[in-house]
Amino acid sequence: MSLFATKPLDVILADAEHESLKRSLTAPQLVALGIGAIIGAGLFSLTGIAAAQDAGPAVVLSFVLAAIGCAFAGICYSEFSTMIPIAGSAYTYAYATMGELMAWIIGWDLVLEYAVGASTVAVSWSAYVISFLKDFGIAFPAAFAASPFEPVTLPGTTTVIQGIINLPALFIVIVISGVLIIGIQESARLNSIIVVLKVAVVLIFIVLGWSYINPKNYEPFIPPNTGVTGVFGWSGVLRAAGVVFFAFIGFDAVSTAAQEAKNPKKDMPIGIIGSLAVCTILYVLFSHVLTGIVNYTELKVAAPVALAIDRTSYTWLRPAIKLAIILGFTSVILVMLLGQSRVFFSMSRDGLLPKVFSAIHPRFRTPWRSNLLFMVFTGAFAAFAPISYLGEMTSIGTLFAFVLVCIGIIIMRRTHPDLPRPFKTPLVPLIPILGIAFNVTMMYGLGWSNWARLFIWMAIGMFVYFGYSRKRVTAANPTPTQ
Ligand code: ALA
């Protein structure tokens, strides 16, 4: 079988029929799944930093730009997810359009988005928990809440210590993996409850904060460029778009649950585009209020929301808001890890990965062994890796996946023009081309060191593919299937 042989669509769909993942998710649950994965560390930690360092109050425009890039990709995801409504997401789409090698590349790349993304948010979760405990006078030993590769400055001091292990981050990964093993419905239910809380916090912040906006804080709206590209001015707005892109990551996780949706043809586009639209509106309003209450020059802090709350008369809300944010991060980790196990589930079913990744628990009907293995992988990254590396790897990996999905739509229109498309991307090839352009531009902005890391990760992937997967697939299919 050739490296570029695609997997025929009827075979993909027939394979999925034999699998026993439960079809139980409804449209509102899918939107909640999307919001669960989207609103998290990006909004609550990065907005302030992007405003302070790159865009000033115009960070609002950066959110709009990043949303436009995501919307193009989201529309393409929607078309695929109604045409191929099974687990595996971008990996499966690539198998149907670009062949086995590209499918492998994207499946391997998605580990960066989902598993490494979950580790990134677990580290942010840890930081918020430590700060929450501190508000109650409980001091968690700093060395046990930090990576050994990232020196930490103790809050309120100039003392720098060396981390040993990030135990809270490891803890939350273990707990969430346990929930995922117990069941998709249980996970979706927990997610829905958290999403209500998380959206409530954002709305409360917007509504209560609105009257504390000081219009002077919006002057200048786009601070003049300092002479360095990306530091304020329009180039700063663009750079900030690359930073806050992280806040949108996750809407595509909805597509990994397509095989568990009750009515995927109708509900997948609602889940993907609906969650993206809700979050975009919330982000724009949230960042407008944040930069209106606190001057952008003061926003370079880890918890900008807490700082803004302190400028209002609602300081008593501070612990409740922190707690809701912590829960909010929890659902991001949940959906990311869910997406990860579903992608590897599909790759394993296709023979590209060992069967352990598609073994379904007889009672819980979840890929429990895969959940356990990813608990170890994600937990190790969360416990030991520095957050800045993790965050940027997540972004570049996700952008790469978006680009490949947009390319896939153009290819699929040529190779399968007559296939029923319950949801059709308008203006093909314009929309996918714009998606590619926007997302490649944001990838470019992440700089060469991230490209190098992406390249190393992909090189490891090629090693596994040619050393294991390729041999297994060839042995299982001695004659070409197409
Ligand atoms: N969008 C997710 C977050 O911001 C990954 O936490």
Side-chain angles (χ1 to χ4, degrees):
M1 200 169 147
S2 128
L3 290 180
F4 303 103
T6 55
K7 188 169 173 189
L9 212 54
D10 48 343
V11 177
I12 293 183
L13 296 175
D15 278 357
E17 278 300 299
H18 292 122
E19 298 304 339
S20 47
L21 290 172
K22 263 196 223 168
R23 279 210 179 273
S24 60
L25 299 176
T26 59
Q29 275 178 321
L30 289 168
V31 174
L33 204 65
I35 299 178
I38 299 174
I39 304 181
L43 182 69
F44 295 123
S45 302
L46 293 178
T47 311
I49 292 170
Q53 292 184 338
D54 310 312
V59 69
V60 173
L61 300 181
S62 309
F63 270 113
V64 174
L65 281 179
I68 293 173
C70 292
F72 291 135
I75 291 170
C76 296
Y77 263 97
S78 296
E79 175 168 326
F80 268 130
S81 66
T82 55
M83 207 165 29
I84 314 176
I86 63 168
S89 175
Y91 156 76
T92 314
Y93 313 153
Y95 214 157
T97 51
M98 292 176 264
E100 185 186 291
L101 178 62
M102 277 318 277
W104 170 267
I105 289 178
I106 203 162
W108 191 255
D109 170 60
L110 285 178
V111 174
L112 297 179
E113 172 172 3
Y114 295 130
V116 178
S119 309
T120 314
V121 182
V123 177
S124 295
W125 186 94
S126 161
Y128 258 88
V129 167
I130 303 290
S131 141
F132 178 75
L133 293 177
K134 196 163 160 270
D135 287 351
F136 289 94
I138 304 168
F140 190 88
F144 290 96
S147 149
F149 303 103
E150 197 163 49
V152 211
T153 309
L154 294 179
T157 70
T158 49
T159 319
V160 178
I161 58 137
Q162 196 62 34
I164 297 171
I165 180 174
N166 196 329
L167 281 180
L170 178 60
F171 165 80
I172 189 64
V173 169
I174 294 173
V175 171
I176 296 291
S177 301
V179 174
L180 283 171
I181 288 171
I182 292 170
I184 179 78
Q185 260 306 325
E186 288 70 12
S187 310
R189 220 169 285 140
L190 174 67
N191 179 61
S192 299
I193 297 169
I194 295 179
V195 164
V196 170
L197 264 173
K198 180 155 76 171
V199 172
V201 163
V202 177
L203 288 175
I204 289 172
F205 180 77
I206 293 168
V207 172
L208 297 184
W210 202 273
S211 52
Y212 289 88
I213 290 177
N214 176 1
K216 286 211 180 83
N217 285 331
Y218 295 134
E219 291 163 19
F221 185 64
I222 304 180
N225 180 263
T226 57
V228 180
T229 312
V231 186
F232 303 114
W234 277 105
S235 66
V237 174
L238 271 181
R239 175 173 289 179
V243 174
V244 299
F245 168 76
F246 187 87
F248 287 97
I249 293 177
F251 69 85
D252 51 308
V254 176
S255 69
T256 63
Q259 203 167 326
E260 284 142 289
K262 268 190 184 152
N263 184 1
K265 296 201 163 140
K266 190 170 123 289
D267 295 344
M268 291 315 286
I270 299 179
I272 296 173
I273 300 175
S275 58
L276 193 51
V278 170
C279 292
T280 305
I281 296 168
L282 290 177
Y283 285 6
V284 166
L285 292 172
F286 177 96
S287 51
H288 179 72
V289 172
L290 181 69
T291 50
I293 301 178
V294 186
N295 192 276
Y296 72 90
T297 51
E298 304 169 69
L299 275 173
K300 200 184 164 193
V301 291
V305 186
L307 179 65
I309 291 283
D310 286 346
R311 302 279 164 94
T312 70
S313 55
Y314 301 106
T315 40
W316 51 272
L317 268 178
R318 202 183 145 116
I321 287 199
K322 266 195 192 169
L323 188 62
I325 291 177
I326 290 166
L327 286 170
F329 288 7
T330 311
S331 74
V332 177
I333 304 169
L334 181 91
V335 184
M336 293 283 170
L337 286 179
L338 173 73
Q340 179 59 69
S341 66
R342 297 317 187 251
V343 172
F344 265 39
F345 173 84
S346 296
M347 294 174 77
S348 153
R349 196 185 46 207
D350 291 336
L352 291 172
L353 285 170
K355 284 289 163 230
V356 62
F357 288 103
S358 52
I360 302 271
H361 192 281
R363 188 148 63 87
F364 302 135
R365 290 172 70 189
T366 51
W368 66 295
R369 290 210 174 99
S370 180
N371 289 131
L372 282 179
L373 287 170
F374 274 105
M375 181 182 86
V376 174
F377 178 86
T378 310
F381 269 103
F384 299 114
I387 189 163
S388 53
Y389 285 17
L390 291 174
E392 286 171 357
M393 286 297 287
T394 310
S395 291
I396 201 160
T398 310
L399 288 163
F400 185 44
F402 286 4
V403 170
L404 293 180
V405 168
C406 292
I407 295 175
I409 285 293
I410 301 175
I411 296 178
M412 198 74 163
R413 286 290 171 97
R414 302 222 165 144
T415 54
H416 298 73
D418 302 324
L419 213 69
R421 290 171 164 80
F423 177 90
K424 218 168 167 186
T425 304
L427 303 175
V428 172
L430 182 65
I431 296 283
I433 288 175
L434 286 172
I436 296 165
F438 261 85
N439 291 307
V440 167
T441 309
M442 283 196 264
M443 279 175 91
Y444 175 75
L446 283 169
W448 71 268
S449 54
N450 284 302
W451 281 85
R453 275 182 231 127
L454 178 66
F455 187 79
I456 292 170
W457 176 247
M458 286 302 161
I460 299 172
M462 287 297 104
F463 190 71
V464 178
Y465 177 69
F466 287 104
Y468 171 85
S469 315
R470 182 88 199 114
K471 289 184 190 149
R472 283 272 312 263
V473 174
T474 314
N477 300 289
T479 51
T481 56
Q482 222 191 11

